[in-house]
Amino acid sequence: MATIYIDDKPFEVPEGKNLLETCLNLKEDLPYFCWHPAMGSVGACRQCAVTVYKDENDKVGRLMMSCMEPVRDGMRLSIKNQQAKDFRNNVIGWLMTNHPHDCAVCDEGGSCHLQDMTVMTGHTYRKYSFDKKTYRNQYLGPFLNHEMNRCIQCYRCVRYYKDYAGGKDLDVFGAHNHLYFGRAEEGVLESEFSGNLAEVCPTGVFTDKTLKQHYTRKWDLTTAPSVCHHCSLGCNTIAGERYGTLRNITTRYNGEVNGYFLCDRGRFGYEFVNSAARIRKPLVRSQLPEATTKEHALQEAAGMISKGRVIGIGSPRASVESNFVLKTLVGEDNFYLGVSEPDHDLVEFNLRVLRETKAHILSLREVEKCDAVLILGEDLTNTAPMLALAVRQSVRQQPLEEVAALKIPLWQDAAARELIQDKKGPLYIATFNPTKLDEVATEIFNATPAEIARLGFAIANKITGQPSEVNDLGKAEEDLAAQIAEALLLAKRPAIISGTHGGRESIIKAAANIANALHDKGKEAGIMLTAPECNSMGLDMLGSHRLESAFAVMEHGEADTVIILENDLYRRACSDEVNKFFEQCKNVIVLDHLHTPTTERANVLLSAGTFAESDGTLVNNEGRAQRFYQVYPTSEDLQESWRWLMQLGAAIEHKQMLGWSTFDDILPAIVVAHPELKGIERVTPSADFRIAGQKIPRETHRFSGRTSMNAGMNVSEPKPQEDPDSPLTFTMEGYRGQAPSSIIPFFWSPGWNSQQAINKYQEEIGGPLHGGDPGIRMIEKTEQSIGTHFSEAPEHFQPLADHLFMVPVYHTFGSEELSAQAPAIAQLTPEPYLILNVTDALELKLEEGQHLTFKIGELMYHLPIKISMTITRGTAGLPVGLPGVPFAELPGWAILNKDLIWKQKPQAIS
Amino acid sequence: MLTSEEIEKIEHEISLVPVRKAACVEALKVVQQHRGWVSDDTLKAVAEFMEMSTAELDSVATFYNLIYRQPVGRHVILICDSVSCWVMGYENVREVLSDKLGIQYGQTTPDGKFTMLPNVCLGCCDHAPALMIDNDLYHDITPEKLDEILAKYA
Amino acid sequence: METPLTQHIVANRPPLSLKEYEQVGGYQSVRKVLKQMTPAEVTELVKASNLKGRGGAGFSTGMKWSFVPMDVPGPKYLICNADEMEPGTFKDRLLLEGNPHQLIEGMIVAAYAIQANVSYVFLRWAYKLAAHEITKAIQEAYDAGYLGKNILGTGFNLDMHLHTGVGRYICGEETALINALQGKRANPRAKPPFPQVSGLYGKPTIVNNVETLSCLPHIVNNGAEWFKGLSKSEDSGTKLYGVSGKVKRPGTWELPMGITVRELLEEYAGGMKDDVQFRGLLPGGASTDFLVEEHLDLKMDYPSITKAGSRMGTGTMIVLDDKTCPVGFVLNLQHFFAQESCGFCTPCRDGLPWVEKILLAMERGEGKPEHMNILEFHTQFLGPGNTFCALAPGAMEPLQSALKYFRADFERHITEHKCPWK
Ligand SMILES: Cc1cc2nc3c(=O)[nH]c(=O)nc-3n(C[C@H](O)[C@H](O)[C@H](O)COP(=O)(O)O)c2cc1C
Ligand code: SF4
Ligand code: FES
């Protein structure tokens, strides 16, 4: 620790940090632009100037850029001193020489870092009287708008996009005051993390294009803390609404999960909520085309339930609460996990590995700090995008040690990068196909699932020094395994990343073995496993039967009625099977947000609120339970699935559900029924939580138009809707201070209207939010962790004549069900295709783009091929979840038969 | 896109530096020498050869004023516009030249022969005003000498 | 009077070939340091000689070298800064075109002192003749075994490459130069870390000016005391001085350090042309403060000029006469600096164009009284440390001193709504 004097007041602060970060940690208002907590300092903008004095006798001092100066014991500085204030004021003056005075029409207005800093420095009058520069803007794709005139040349965008996120197609052009930040030519930004530019850019150059289509100022949004539903990582988000439509998603900082950023799927996937395909009212098929009232729908469904023999099918994209209430409603024996057969096994296995591992279960943010990473079977950019971004940071860890050794602070970003050059720490990637992360990898191993698992087993054996459990391991694989084992053993914090997208338990087994082996060698080894969907883990922790059994039960006539929770079964099983299942059902009750082939089968369709219209808990891939909140009040026709199900319970006077009416009624019951979910009731404060007797408002105190926004319908201002489920209100009234970390609806602090207000909410810059980061881990390593060693390494992959072994290929944009329905995402979703090995293509006499017809199970496919040099012969890559690619159990065999003739008939699923 | 001659020269430059990208300015110089300027297509070809993204290379290319990202004439006239030449009256020389060629800074004569650009101090201040045409330096220029100088460029 | 640096330079004659250069004692210093001295001894010698960098900042060369960590593994680099683009500066050109072997010899000495095995000459694009001569000389030096592997059988290796720039004055700033050499945008780097610790490709690097390096063979051959004795002041050695503007005999001369401004102006440059009067001068390139009549008897060395509120800079002076508008003069300079700003930091990127626009407005008769204040605050706030590198502070030097010495002329532009010289 060091003592520094800020305006003559002493403070005890940690050494090694820079003055800017230190001042911000002390909650001083010190303006800045180019510094970013995740990216360090470069000293470009000169906004953060302070006066630094030699000693207490020095009355003049000297201006220094606080972001570039390390804390030294006894240091004296002044933020308030006139010279520093004047300088900072002039910096804004300079920036304003070319910045348009267009706040009133600028998308950034009201959440603009530049606006905040302008006010903070007291720059009020313009001295500059000459012309301003103007620029042409670029089309950058469906996500971001570009308005270069507003640029203040802070270089944050390029530093984020290139240096941090590894993007290639955004840069700075020109020199002196003719600088242009954009692409070499117009076009869609290539990075899956481009949306962060909207938050990284301190002004309105890069702004959210989806928000622009229904633009609302930050202060006019009704916002709530939410959790991303578009992959298993559970990044924290803030969802904003106005006039009943969801307007945007921004990052909700979580020091352990997503930090400052989101991926584009997570940021722009929200548009499905506003989709025309939304189910906004309940429907009873027999009554069509008459509209159905809520009461009627409930009555109808209750009738079916009380008369029938009912089963329930849960969903990995529905909350723990909704699944639990369904399970309670139908009874434990009649509840089925609505996931495909492979996912069922893989998630269960994930859970087992996490419960048994002796290695540390990594959080997303911890991955950034790991100094050697092995990825088995996951194309992270497409299966868990933010994890790929974290891995990109991890490869800097080892080289950064050299920087530290030279006593150069790591926040000296340019200096650190220069010293490192393009050195990368160890990263080994074993996947079926090349991935975007390959460019930062030490070695890449493209092979079949079996070969990947075999490599993994071999690595574990190398680490323990035990004889190989892998039969006839090739020399190349053996050497690679030895190399990887050595790299992992040399690291301080090696990470093993795998998960369910490789489609094979053996791959996860290998990952577990390696992590345990490293642990046994005294390493601080970490493991991270991805899961298929946002609540796959939570659903599995509720435990239940296979979907296959649900089909069997129906087939054997043991049941006649099914309740399907937020699930499209056509994405879980082969369409023939699902069709057969529905044919055997007498009554089908479906709860969902969007029309799907499954909702087509519903006799009663209940309009379920999306994440934005619901409260709920998700358990992410690492076992972290996180709560998302309803953002805005809805009409009574649209409500949480769990509420529908509770009301059904009430209608049939279900004994276990007696007295259940709010969210908080469910949590204790979950804990009683599932002790392993203990803690879930503490994830957030309960609905009766108050600060100073007040609830937390979802609206800012500047929220406008409340009395008039609905005047078109009713001139008298209606009483605001109550929120019985949370300590949040749907209004602007309530506690104005900082809410506990798990219920922060927006980041705001006096003078800090932009996202940068986050600084005021953290215990330490870049560290945990005050009171700890939100979310509670349901799985933690305990003394009992036994670290099972799994044996049975698979045998070599053997190609089969007239067959292709299909491996799954995932897409950031398109593979996930809900986000794929968002128009901006849909624009970037690829057309269906099949990846084929070049030699196989040659033998099949196929050229790039020509169609191949094949059969998986009973289902025929007819897809244009993409030729690959890397995919193993005898295997092929089939995109998962893309519109136009029907479900198949992957990996699995497809039959190529000359007799297969593709008839242009409508598919079971389109 | 790149000719074998260009590739050979660029490869040589790459061999002199420890990091491939470090030769990118040299590579741009090579193609500019052969083609007069660096078109978008040329830039892309060089970027690919240098294993850089187009944006990254263009970011470098557009920083330097002597990498021409727009077509120039067969001969580029660089007029020193710095202080010693200014004191010694270069503006007069420039105006006369401008009239003779019928072009302003940044323009090319209709016959594609000359492009006229301003340039910082040519390091010839004791013999101001100075200008360069291609690789040739001319100093102690007076408007009267211009015809003779221009005549050398067929 | 000894003129070690230029003794073998004869106007309009090609430079000495390697053979000729050897005949007049060339490369002796290389033999001496490589065979008889340790790197530390060379550095000590140069420190003792009190050689100050001739690139403009005047920092002790030996001292600079001594910051290179000698015990770290991996390459080290030596770079000769031959980017000479400072307006009014034309001294390095003389050495580059006139005696390239002297420079190469100096570079070998410097490289040995810091144990660099790779060196670069970063030459500005416009110096075509220099490029030709250096290329030839480097080849000769390789052929003679002064460069390459195992030089003179001593086991010391040194490669030397010529790199020509593609414009941009900022490339002369040593860290920007390093970025330029790495094929990047030539934005300067923050210091610390200094290039001595983390320079080219993140490795220890020394950047020295052409003239600085050219001094080295003579210091090695004749000793530190001899070098000090060349001077008439506390700074040692000789210096290449230059004069441009409306003087009778503009040119460059090698003279003892500490010669007076008046001697230079009147004796060597022959005084002002007949039809003009002296008003002031920038003593060492565009980024130095004006000196006026009262300063003419100052010694042209680093401390004396600094004491007078200016800087010795490159030692090549630009003279302002009474027939030339001082506002126009400063406008020309500010246009230069604004345009040559790299665009990285705010005050320089956006402040300099503002200054330029104001001066232009003044020249057009559109100046306003409040413009004076704006110019003043720029001189105040674009000072050293406030901007990312020394370009903008350099730009402010002629402006702030012009506002001091020629204030009335600025004000006349405003009150008369025109340039009185037009
Ligand atoms: C904007 C700017 C331009 C510069 N240009 C040159 C130059 O052209 N030549 C040069 O030798 N030094 C130049 N310098 C000084 C160099 O940064 C550096 O100090 C010098 O090359 C060191 O050599 P020395 O120690 O031998 O003087 C410049 C500095 C700045 C700030
Ligand atoms: S576009 Fe935005 S982030 Fe990029 S330099 Fe300009 S102001 Fe900074
Ligand atoms: S924040 Fe310190 S210079 Fe930009």
Side-chain angles (χ1 to χ4, degrees), chain C residues 53-59 61 64 81 83-86 92 169-170 172-174 207-210 212 389-391:
Chain C
R54 307 295 199 232
F59 190 79
T61 303
K64 187 161 160 178
N81 189 341
D83 198 51
E84 194 164 74
M85 253 190 258
E86 176 94 4
D92 294 340
Y169 163 67
I170 193 65
E173 199 283 337
E174 57 182 356
V207 181
N208 273 136
N209 172 258
V210 173
T212 314
C389 82
L391 184 139

Side-chain angles (χ1 to χ4, degrees), chain A residues 499-516:
Chain A
T500 58
H501 300 85
R504 278 287 181 261
E505 237 165 62
S506 54
I507 296 179
I508 306 174
K509 279 181 184 167
N513 284 355
I514 299 170
N516 287 328

Side-chain angles (χ1 to χ4, degrees), chain A residues 180-234:
Chain A
Y180 193 92
F181 294 81
R183 284 175 46 93
E185 50 193 18
E186 291 204 314
V188 180
L189 285 169
E190 288 162 10
S191 168
E192 293 76 8
F193 308 99
S194 68
N196 294 315
L197 287 173
E199 289 182 33
V200 164
C201 174
T203 161
V205 179
F206 298 103
T207 52
D208 182 337
K209 206 179 208 171
T210 66
L211 171 64
K212 202 174 185 67
Q213 289 162 14
H214 40 216
Y215 183 70
T216 306
R217 295 253 175 245
K218 178 181 176 181
W219 72 71
D220 278 343
L221 288 169
T222 302
T223 49
S226 194
V227 176
C228 180
H229 275 52
H230 304 301
C231 89
S232 67
L233 298 178

Side-chain angles (χ1 to χ4, degrees), chain A residues 738-800:
Chain A
Q738 287 193 8
S741 67
S742 62
I743 47 173
I744 298 168
F746 51 85
F747 292 100
W748 182 87
S749 185
W752 298 80
N753 297 291
S754 78
Q755 275 296 81
Q756 315 282 330
I758 285 170
N759 294 335
K760 303 280 183 187
Y761 286 77
Q762 295 162 330
E763 280 173 12
E764 171 184 54
I765 302 295
L769 292 169
H770 283 302
D773 288 308
I776 293 184
R777 278 267 272 265
M778 302 286 100
I779 311 166
E780 285 291 3
K781 202 171 82 170
T782 62
E783 293 302 302
Q784 289 84 52
S785 301
I786 45 174
T788 314
H789 176 85
F790 301 99
S791 37
E792 300 145 39
E795 294 302 318
H796 274 302
F797 167 75
Q798 297 293 347
L800 263 182

Side-chain angles (χ1 to χ4, degrees), chain A residues 568 570-571 575 596-597 821 832 881-886 905-910:
Chain A
D568 175 11
Y570 289 94
R571 293 178 71 97
S575 53
T596 66
Q821 300 299 317
L882 291 194
V885 185
K905 65 161 189 227
Q907 282 284 291
I909 319 177
S910 58

Side-chain angles (χ1 to χ4, degrees), chain A residues 162 168-175 183-185 421-422, chain B residues 19 40 43-44 53-60 62-63:
Chain A
K162 281 174 73 178
K168 306 272 180 292
D169 59 328
L170 183 106
D171 223 310
V172 49
F173 306 99
R183 284 175 46 93
E185 50 193 18
Q421 292 285 312
D422 53 2
Chain B
V19 178
D40 286 356
L43 186 101
K44 271 185 207 150
S53 76
T54 317
E56 189 178 13
L57 184 64
D58 208 8
S59 174
V60 175
T62 54
F63 183 87

